[in-house]
PDB file of all heavy atoms in Angstrom:
ATOM      1  N   LEU Q 154     -41.052  63.443  47.984  1.00 92.00           N
ATOM      2  CA  LEU Q 154     -39.832  62.828  47.493  1.00 92.00           C
ATOM      3  C   LEU Q 154     -39.644  61.410  48.035  1.00 92.00           C
ATOM      4  O   LEU Q 154     -39.124  60.521  47.348  1.00 92.00           O
ATOM      5  CB  LEU Q 154     -38.618  63.674  47.830  1.00 92.00           C
ATOM      6  CG  LEU Q 154     -38.537  65.038  47.129  1.00 92.00           C
ATOM      7  CD1 LEU Q 154     -37.272  65.782  47.578  1.00 92.00           C
ATOM      8  CD2 LEU Q 154     -38.577  64.858  45.647  1.00 92.00           C
ATOM      9  N   GLU Q 155     -40.079  61.159  49.269  1.00 91.00           N
ATOM     10  CA  GLU Q 155     -40.011  59.809  49.816  1.00 91.00           C
ATOM     11  C   GLU Q 155     -40.867  58.827  49.043  1.00 91.00           C
ATOM     12  O   GLU Q 155     -40.528  57.665  48.839  1.00 91.00           O
ATOM     13  CB  GLU Q 155     -40.444  59.836  51.303  1.00 91.00           C
ATOM     14  CG  GLU Q 155     -39.401  60.458  52.222  1.00 91.00           C
ATOM     15  CD  GLU Q 155     -39.900  60.524  53.654  1.00 91.00           C
ATOM     16  OE1 GLU Q 155     -41.148  60.377  53.865  1.00 91.00           O
ATOM     17  OE2 GLU Q 155     -39.085  60.729  54.560  1.00 91.00           O
ATOM     18  N   GLN Q 156     -42.038  59.334  48.557  1.00 91.00           N
ATOM     19  CA  GLN Q 156     -42.903  58.480  47.753  1.00 91.00           C
ATOM     20  C   GLN Q 156     -42.365  58.255  46.375  1.00 91.00           C
ATOM     21  O   GLN Q 156     -42.496  57.173  45.796  1.00 91.00           O
ATOM     22  CB  GLN Q 156     -44.301  59.120  47.692  1.00 91.00           C
ATOM     23  CG  GLN Q 156     -45.001  59.204  49.031  1.00 91.00           C
ATOM     24  CD  GLN Q 156     -46.324  59.907  48.980  1.00 91.00           C
ATOM     25  OE1 GLN Q 156     -46.701  60.444  47.930  1.00 91.00           O
ATOM     26  NE2 GLN Q 156     -47.073  59.922  50.077  1.00 91.00           N
ATOM     27  N   GLN Q 157     -41.730  59.265  45.796  1.00 89.00           N
ATOM     28  CA  GLN Q 157     -41.177  59.168  44.435  1.00 89.00           C
ATOM     29  C   GLN Q 157     -39.864  58.360  44.416  1.00 89.00           C
ATOM     30  O   GLN Q 157     -39.572  57.708  43.410  1.00 89.00           O
ATOM     31  CB  GLN Q 157     -40.933  60.556  43.866  1.00 89.00           C
ATOM     32  CG  GLN Q 157     -42.199  61.341  43.659  1.00 89.00           C
ATOM     33  CD  GLN Q 157     -41.941  62.776  43.173  1.00 89.00           C
ATOM     34  OE1 GLN Q 157     -40.776  63.161  42.957  1.00 89.00           O
ATOM     35  NE2 GLN Q 157     -42.981  63.575  43.032  1.00 89.00           N
ATOM     36  N   HIS Q 158     -39.094  58.432  45.491  1.00 88.00           N
ATOM     37  CA  HIS Q 158     -37.760  57.789  45.514  1.00 88.00           C
ATOM     38  C   HIS Q 158     -37.661  56.960  46.818  1.00 88.00           C
ATOM     39  O   HIS Q 158     -36.933  57.319  47.739  1.00 88.00           O
ATOM     40  CB  HIS Q 158     -36.663  58.804  45.459  1.00 88.00           C
ATOM     41  CG  HIS Q 158     -36.739  59.711  44.253  1.00 88.00           C
ATOM     42  ND1 HIS Q 158     -36.287  59.340  42.997  1.00 88.00           N
ATOM     43  CD2 HIS Q 158     -37.269  60.968  44.137  1.00 88.00           C
ATOM     44  CE1 HIS Q 158     -36.505  60.353  42.162  1.00 88.00           C
ATOM     45  NE2 HIS Q 158     -37.108  61.347  42.803  1.00 88.00           N
ATOM     46  N   PRO Q 159     -38.390  55.840  46.908  1.00 89.00           N
ATOM     47  CA  PRO Q 159     -38.332  55.030  48.132  1.00 89.00           C
ATOM     48  C   PRO Q 159     -36.981  54.401  48.370  1.00 89.00           C
ATOM     49  O   PRO Q 159     -36.664  53.962  49.472  1.00 89.00           O
ATOM     50  CB  PRO Q 159     -39.409  53.958  47.878  1.00 89.00           C
ATOM     51  CG  PRO Q 159     -39.542  53.864  46.391  1.00 89.00           C
ATOM     52  CD  PRO Q 159     -39.288  55.274  45.880  1.00 89.00           C
ATOM     53  N   GLU Q 160     -36.147  54.314  47.333  1.00 88.00           N
ATOM     54  CA  GLU Q 160     -34.815  53.685  47.499  1.00 88.00           C
ATOM     55  C   GLU Q 160     -33.810  54.616  48.188  1.00 88.00           C
ATOM     56  O   GLU Q 160     -32.769  54.139  48.594  1.00 88.00           O
ATOM     57  CB  GLU Q 160     -34.280  53.261  46.106  1.00 88.00           C
ATOM     58  CG  GLU Q 160     -33.753  54.404  45.247  1.00 88.00           C
ATOM     59  CD  GLU Q 160     -34.863  55.204  44.578  1.00 88.00           C
ATOM     60  OE1 GLU Q 160     -36.041  54.835  44.745  1.00 88.00           O
ATOM     61  OE2 GLU Q 160     -34.569  56.173  43.872  1.00 88.00           O
ATOM     62  N   ARG Q 161     -34.168  55.890  48.321  1.00 86.00           N
ATOM     63  CA  ARG Q 161     -33.238  56.875  48.926  1.00 86.00           C
ATOM     64  C   ARG Q 161     -33.692  57.147  50.335  1.00 86.00           C
ATOM     65  O   ARG Q 161     -34.851  57.108  50.684  1.00 86.00           O
ATOM     66  CB  ARG Q 161     -33.204  58.156  48.089  1.00 86.00           C
ATOM     67  CG  ARG Q 161     -32.763  57.946  46.661  1.00 86.00           C
ATOM     68  CD  ARG Q 161     -32.736  59.261  45.914  1.00 86.00           C
ATOM     69  NE  ARG Q 161     -31.639  60.101  46.437  1.00 86.00           N
ATOM     70  CZ  ARG Q 161     -30.655  60.572  45.662  1.00 86.00           C
ATOM     71  NH1 ARG Q 161     -30.628  60.267  44.375  1.00 86.00           N
ATOM     72  NH2 ARG Q 161     -29.724  61.332  46.176  1.00 86.00           N
ATOM     73  N   ASP Q 162     -32.724  57.493  51.189  1.00 87.00           N
ATOM     74  CA  ASP Q 162     -32.978  57.872  52.591  1.00 87.00           C
ATOM     75  C   ASP Q 162     -33.073  59.391  52.633  1.00 87.00           C
ATOM     76  O   ASP Q 162     -32.050  60.079  52.808  1.00 87.00           O
ATOM     77  CB  ASP Q 162     -31.885  57.322  53.482  1.00 87.00           C
ATOM     78  CG  ASP Q 162     -32.175  57.575  54.953  1.00 87.00           C
ATOM     79  OD1 ASP Q 162     -33.346  57.868  55.263  1.00 87.00           O
ATOM     80  OD2 ASP Q 162     -31.264  57.494  55.806  1.00 87.00           O
ATOM     81  N   ILE Q 163     -34.266  59.896  52.504  1.00 89.00           N
ATOM     82  CA  ILE Q 163     -34.486  61.346  52.440  1.00 89.00           C
ATOM     83  C   ILE Q 163     -34.962  61.837  53.802  1.00 89.00           C
ATOM     84  O   ILE Q 163     -35.972  61.349  54.319  1.00 89.00           O
ATOM     85  CB  ILE Q 163     -35.501  61.694  51.328  1.00 89.00           C
ATOM     86  CG1 ILE Q 163     -34.963  61.237  49.959  1.00 89.00           C
ATOM     87  CG2 ILE Q 163     -35.806  63.201  51.318  1.00 89.00           C
ATOM     88  CD1 ILE Q 163     -35.911  61.503  48.824  1.00 89.00           C
ATOM     89  N   LYS Q 164     -34.223  62.780  54.380  1.00 89.00           N
ATOM     90  CA  LYS Q 164     -34.555  63.328  55.671  1.00 89.00           C
ATOM     91  C   LYS Q 164     -35.090  64.771  55.512  1.00 89.00           C
ATOM     92  O   LYS Q 164     -34.673  65.518  54.618  1.00 89.00           O
ATOM     93  CB  LYS Q 164     -33.327  63.356  56.588  1.00 89.00           C
ATOM     94  CG  LYS Q 164     -32.695  61.985  56.820  1.00 89.00           C
ATOM     95  CD  LYS Q 164     -33.640  61.065  57.590  1.00 89.00           C
ATOM     96  CE  LYS Q 164     -32.938  59.764  57.911  1.00 89.00           C
ATOM     97  NZ  LYS Q 164     -33.849  58.809  58.616  1.00 89.00           N
ATOM     98  N   ASN Q 165     -35.994  65.160  56.409  1.00 91.00           N
ATOM     99  CA  ASN Q 165     -36.598  66.482  56.344  1.00 91.00           C
ATOM    100  C   ASN Q 165     -35.547  67.582  56.558  1.00 91.00           C
ATOM    101  O   ASN Q 165     -35.575  68.621  55.877  1.00 91.00           O
ATOM    102  CB  ASN Q 165     -37.714  66.579  57.391  1.00 91.00           C
ATOM    103  CG  ASN Q 165     -38.445  67.934  57.297  1.00 91.00           C
ATOM    104  OD1 ASN Q 165     -38.703  68.425  56.197  1.00 91.00           O
ATOM    105  ND2 ASN Q 165     -38.786  68.519  58.431  1.00 91.00           N
ATOM    106  N   THR Q 166     -34.629  67.333  57.481  1.00 91.00           N
ATOM    107  CA  THR Q 166     -33.611  68.350  57.762  1.00 91.00           C
ATOM    108  C   THR Q 166     -32.678  68.540  56.559  1.00 91.00           C
ATOM    109  O   THR Q 166     -32.286  69.656  56.238  1.00 91.00           O
ATOM    110  CB  THR Q 166     -32.754  67.908  58.965  1.00 91.00           C
ATOM    111  OG1 THR Q 166     -32.245  66.589  58.747  1.00 91.00           O
ATOM    112  CG2 THR Q 166     -33.591  67.900  60.233  1.00 91.00           C
ATOM    113  N   VAL Q 167     -32.376  67.456  55.848  1.00 91.00           N
ATOM    114  CA  VAL Q 167     -31.522  67.564  54.663  1.00 91.00           C
ATOM    115  C   VAL Q 167     -32.243  68.306  53.566  1.00 91.00           C
ATOM    116  O   VAL Q 167     -31.661  69.135  52.846  1.00 91.00           O
ATOM    117  CB  VAL Q 167     -31.075  66.163  54.198  1.00 91.00           C
ATOM    118  CG1 VAL Q 167     -30.201  66.261  52.960  1.00 91.00           C
ATOM    119  CG2 VAL Q 167     -30.332  65.451  55.297  1.00 91.00           C
ATOM    120  N   VAL Q 168     -33.546  68.022  53.374  1.00 91.00           N
ATOM    121  CA  VAL Q 168     -34.337  68.701  52.358  1.00 91.00           C
ATOM    122  C   VAL Q 168     -34.422  70.209  52.650  1.00 91.00           C
ATOM    123  O   VAL Q 168     -34.276  71.050  51.765  1.00 91.00           O
ATOM    124  CB  VAL Q 168     -35.722  68.083  52.262  1.00 91.00           C
ATOM    125  CG1 VAL Q 168     -36.641  68.920  51.330  1.00 91.00           C
ATOM    126  CG2 VAL Q 168     -35.646  66.656  51.732  1.00 91.00           C
ATOM    127  N   ARG Q 169     -34.625  70.542  53.926  1.00 91.00           N
ATOM    128  CA  ARG Q 169     -34.708  71.967  54.309  1.00 91.00           C
ATOM    129  C   ARG Q 169     -33.376  72.680  54.021  1.00 91.00           C
ATOM    130  O   ARG Q 169     -33.329  73.786  53.506  1.00 91.00           O
ATOM    131  CB  ARG Q 169     -35.068  72.092  55.788  1.00 91.00           C
ATOM    132  CG  ARG Q 169     -35.323  73.520  56.253  1.00 91.00           C
ATOM    133  CD  ARG Q 169     -35.639  73.551  57.738  1.00 91.00           C
ATOM    134  NE  ARG Q 169     -36.798  72.717  58.063  1.00 91.00           N
ATOM    135  CZ  ARG Q 169     -38.058  73.171  57.947  1.00 91.00           C
ATOM    136  NH1 ARG Q 169     -38.305  74.397  57.509  1.00 91.00           N
ATOM    137  NH2 ARG Q 169     -39.051  72.367  58.263  1.00 91.00           N
ATOM    138  N   THR Q 170     -32.270  71.985  54.358  1.00 93.00           N
ATOM    139  CA  THR Q 170     -30.943  72.577  54.106  1.00 93.00           C
ATOM    140  C   THR Q 170     -30.719  72.773  52.595  1.00 93.00           C
ATOM    141  O   THR Q 170     -30.185  73.782  52.136  1.00 93.00           O
ATOM    142  CB  THR Q 170     -29.841  71.680  54.674  1.00 93.00           C
ATOM    143  OG1 THR Q 170     -30.046  71.499  56.066  1.00 93.00           O
ATOM    144  CG2 THR Q 170     -28.458  72.287  54.448  1.00 93.00           C
ATOM    145  N   THR Q 171     -31.161  71.792  51.811  1.00 92.00           N
ATOM    146  CA  THR Q 171     -31.044  71.887  50.340  1.00 92.00           C
ATOM    147  C   THR Q 171     -31.870  73.042  49.806  1.00 92.00           C
ATOM    148  O   THR Q 171     -31.405  73.811  48.933  1.00 92.00           O
ATOM    149  CB  THR Q 171     -31.515  70.562  49.711  1.00 92.00           C
ATOM    150  OG1 THR Q 171     -30.743  69.502  50.231  1.00 92.00           O
ATOM    151  CG2 THR Q 171     -31.337  70.630  48.213  1.00 92.00           C
ATOM    152  N   LEU Q 172     -33.072  73.220  50.326  1.00 92.00           N
ATOM    153  CA  LEU Q 172     -33.940  74.359  49.873  1.00 92.00           C
ATOM    154  C   LEU Q 172     -33.308  75.661  50.229  1.00 92.00           C
ATOM    155  O   LEU Q 172     -33.327  76.626  49.418  1.00 92.00           O
ATOM    156  CB  LEU Q 172     -35.301  74.202  50.538  1.00 92.00           C
ATOM    157  CG  LEU Q 172     -36.174  73.045  50.051  1.00 92.00           C
ATOM    158  CD1 LEU Q 172     -37.367  72.836  50.958  1.00 92.00           C
ATOM    159  CD2 LEU Q 172     -36.654  73.343  48.619  1.00 92.00           C
TER     160      LEU Q 172
END
Side-chain angles (χ1 to χ4, degrees):
L154 293 181
E155 286 177 345
Q156 296 176 354
Q157 295 176 3
H158 305 278
E160 75 282 357
R161 301 181 68 122
D162 185 17
I163 299 177
K164 302 294 184 182
N165 185 40
T166 53
V167 179
V168 172
R169 187 182 301 276
T170 303
T171 303
L172 289 168

